[in-house]
Each structure stands twice: as structure tokens, then as C-alpha cells.
Amino acid sequence: MSSRRIQIFDTTLRDGEQSPGIALRPEEKVEIAEQLERLGVDVIEAGFAAASPGDFEGVRAVAAVARRATVATLCRTRREDLDAGADALRDARRSRLHIFLATSPIHMQKKLRLTPDEVAAQAAWAVGYARGRVDEVEFSCEDATRSDPVFVARVCREVIAAGADVVNLPDTVGYALPNEYAGFFDEVRRLSPELESVTISAHCHDDLGLAVANSLAAVEAGVGQVECTMNGIGERAGNAALEEIVMALRVREERLGVDTGIDLAEIGASSALVERLTGYAVPPNKAIVGANAFAHEAGIHQDGLLKDTTTYQIIEPKELGLAMTLPLGKHSGRHAFARACADAGLQLDEELLSRAFMRFKALADSGIVDVTAA
Ligand code: MN
């Protein structure tokens, strides 16, 4: 059975950059975009062109260098945003305007102060205006998961009639549960069969720690695109992490039947570059790219790994440009200790090894965390 190929829409340079305190210069955006191309993402959302002259320049610079990926920029349903976006994307090999407008009662009443009829009309107008100015138009029903599915389906119908190529139903505030998010896609597709003619997209936030789980639930519900960021950076608790979605799809491909165009060998380098240029440190226990994601200190695990790495690893880190480590500490065993001595060029007989191991354990128990550095 061949896998269904889904699109990876990377928004590290837009939603990721909206993390408090991150401001990437155009040349830094270009450096990350070039790495994202090596990684093999399908779409690079490069910024929000109307947000600032610097961001306009960042989007323009990325559009000029991207050779393979579609380059997107975010826009409100305003003529000045759409004009700035289309202008910034002029040099793109393939361009996409990503237009958003909220569809939830909370946002429509409290933020936009627009009626549902006005929201539907503005959305359709903006998509119609964007169409023809760029290669592709994406429309997002902001705060979709707190919206009435009947109204979301109506907006989907109207933006598709106006020419949208991609329709995104984001969990903007990280509120949904996995089953519920999958059910939401099912319900909106049932109410708007027009969605079968476009690419349907998911976009999740990690406020409840469910961004990746929700993205995978959406993939199982049949979406054709997932929006995510390297290292899961993004507003508040962050976006769904690209590397986690991609590796879940890869490791569990037999069950999920879904494939991406990502080159796994570039994951480590992509994570390191985004960490360095954004200044957002990857937590050591972060899945896939954390410093400890393939580190094993416990003796029983180290013994198993030295016999066969598949005993305690479901991923071969070398395939991602990363390495397995066996740090020595109070939980480590004799097998890994002996290996470390041999690696350090120490030829110890059984008697010496036993004495050294006892002294090592005493040292480790004294509270020194990294014995190898002591
Ligand atoms: Mn977002």
C-alpha cells in the first residue's frame, strides 16, 4: 500500500517569529528559508508583509531565493495587506497569499465587531481580490475550533466559490481535543462538500500540550496540509512541532499511511539553526531534537542499547543528523562504564574495572550530575 502524501506548511518565519522576543532580520530569514528548502518543506510562510517594513523585506528576500517551496505571507482581509503581500511575493517562483478572518462568536463580537454576514462577505471579497495576483490563495477561519461548524461550512463554501485553493481550519487558541478536532473536520466537510475540491489544512497550538496530537488527528481525518514550526516555536506555548509530526508519521507510517517530502537527514541541522537564530533554546527533554532525546543514563537501558539500539530507541538518531549518547551517572551500569573506559583508551582488567566502577558509583552518588565532566 502506498502512502498518501501530505503537504508540510512551515510557519517558523511567521507564527514562529510571533513568539515574544523574536525578531529575525531579512538575511536571517533567508538563511532559515534556505535550510527549510533543504529540509524539503512544501510551503514556507515567510512573514506578515504588512506588519512592518522589515517584515515586508524579509518576505521579499525569501521569495527571491526559494527555488522549490511555495512562499506564503499572511494577510488580513484588507486591501493594503493584500497589496503589500502580493508585492512582497512578486519574485517568488510560486506565491501564496494566506488570508485570515475569525469565524468564532467570541472573535466576531468582541474583536472584529462584525456580523456573521459581514465576515462571510469580507472573506469572499478578500479571496476574490487576491486571486489572480498570486499563484495560490489560502483562507483561514481564525479560531475555527470555537466556531459554529454550520457557519464555518458557509464561509468555506463562499471562499471556495471566490477562488480559494486551500482552506485552513486552525485551532488558534489550542483549545481542541484530538477526537473533537477530527470530528470537526468531518462535520465541516459533510456540511460543505465543496471542500473536496481544495486542499484542507490543519494548524494547531500547544496551549494544552496537544498541538501535535491534534495535527495527527486532523491528518487521520484526511487533511492534505499541516502547518507547523521547527522546534514548535510560536505564540504562547507554541505551534505544533514540525519534527514531531514528521517523525510520528514516519515511525508509524504503517498505521497512518501518510508520507511527507521531508528529508529526515536535515532535521538536526534545521533545529540547530532555528535555535541559534531565534535565541529560543530547545529544552533538553524536547521530543526528537532535545539534547536528551537520544541520551540514556539508566544502566538497564544502556546495557540493552549496547546489545541492540532498537531495545530502547524507536528512531535511529543518525538518520536525523543527531547522535545517541550514554552519559554516565548514578543510574548507569557496569556495561556502559566499561565501554566508556575502553573508548577513553583505558585497558582495565576485571579487578581494576571493578574497583574503578565502585569509585565511580560513590562519586556519582555524591551528587555530581555529569560524572564524565568531573
Ligand atoms: Mn497560529
Side-chain angles (χ1 to χ4, degrees), residues 217-228:
V219 169
E220 285 199 272
V223 304
Q225 174 181 284
V226 282
E227 304 190 1
C228 45

Side-chain angles (χ1 to χ4, degrees), residues 11 14-15 18 170-172 203-205 227 235-236 239:
T11 184
R14 199 280 296 171
D15 220 343
Q18 284 175 219
D171 186 29
T172 303
H203 174 118
C204 298
H205 279 270
E227 304 190 1
E235 291 187 280
R236 308 183 309 279
N239 286 61

Side-chain angles (χ1 to χ4, degrees), residues 57-89:
E57 191 46 42
V59 174
R60 203 200 55 71
V62 170
V65 298
R67 278 186 279 272
R68 227 179 50 88
T70 296
V71 180
T73 181
L74 192 70
C75 301
R76 291 166 297 186
T77 53
R78 297 183 185 185
R79 192 185 299 264
E80 62 269 28
D81 279 29
L82 299 161
D83 287 340
D87 196 17
L89 294 174

Side-chain angles (χ1 to χ4, degrees), residues 80-97:
E80 62 269 28
D81 279 29
L82 299 161
D83 287 340
D87 196 17
L89 294 174
R90 223 179 19 225
D91 294 336
R93 194 190 59 80
R94 196 153 181 85
S95 56
R96 179 184 297 186
L97 285 178

Side-chain angles (χ1 to χ4, degrees), residues 41-65:
V41 306
D42 299 287
V43 183
I44 297 172
E45 186 163 56
F48 190 161
S52 73
D55 221 32
F56 178 92
E57 191 46 42
V59 174
R60 203 200 55 71
V62 170
V65 298

Side-chain angles (χ1 to χ4, degrees), residues 3 6 216 219 242-265 267 288 314-316 319-320:
S3 290
I6 62 157
L216 293 173
V219 169
L242 180 150
E243 65 279 7
E244 295 180 23
I245 293 172
V246 167
M247 289 314 297
L249 294 176
R250 166 51 65 96
V251 172
R252 305 306 309 275
E253 187 175 357
E254 221 170 308
R255 181 178 167 97
L256 298 170
V258 172
D259 193 10
T260 69
I262 295 299
D263 179 357
L264 304 188
I267 286 179
I288 317 296
I314 57 169
I315 292 166
E316 173 48 68
E319 289 176 13
L320 317 186

